[in-house]
Amino acid sequence: MKAALTSKHANHIGIVVNDNGNFITIEDTDKKNPLSYKSRLYPNKKVFQLDRELTIVLKD
């Protein structure tokens, strides 16, 4: 999954940890996204959220 160019998370990669709802939670495996944050739901990961409308599915 990749963020569309119009997203503030464009060019950052990660692993999808939750894709329910309008926002997709992504684990920041690249460790370079300044907008990633620690979440109580995922205590050992830094995550960021993508608006579902601003994502591109690269591979199912």
Side-chain angles (χ1 to χ4, degrees):
M1 183 159 295
K2 184 177 180 182
L5 289 176
T6 54
S7 170
K8 60 190 173 188
H9 300 294
N11 297 319
H12 294 290
I13 61 171
I15 296 171
V16 176
V17 292
N18 188 338
D19 65 352
N20 296 332
N22 293 327
F23 289 90
I24 300 168
T25 305
I26 310 287
E27 179 185 355
D28 183 12
T29 57
D30 201 22
K31 307 294 186 207
K32 294 180 182 175
N33 188 343
L35 299 174
S36 63
Y37 58 91
K38 291 183 179 179
S39 168
R40 276 183 259 170
L41 289 174
Y42 308 100
N44 298 323
K45 305 176 194 268
K46 288 195 83 174
V47 298
F48 57 94
Q49 289 195 315
L50 292 179
D51 186 327
R52 186 176 291 281
E53 294 179 4
L54 296 178
T55 61
I56 300 163
V57 177
L58 298 176
K59 185 177 180 182
D60 280 336

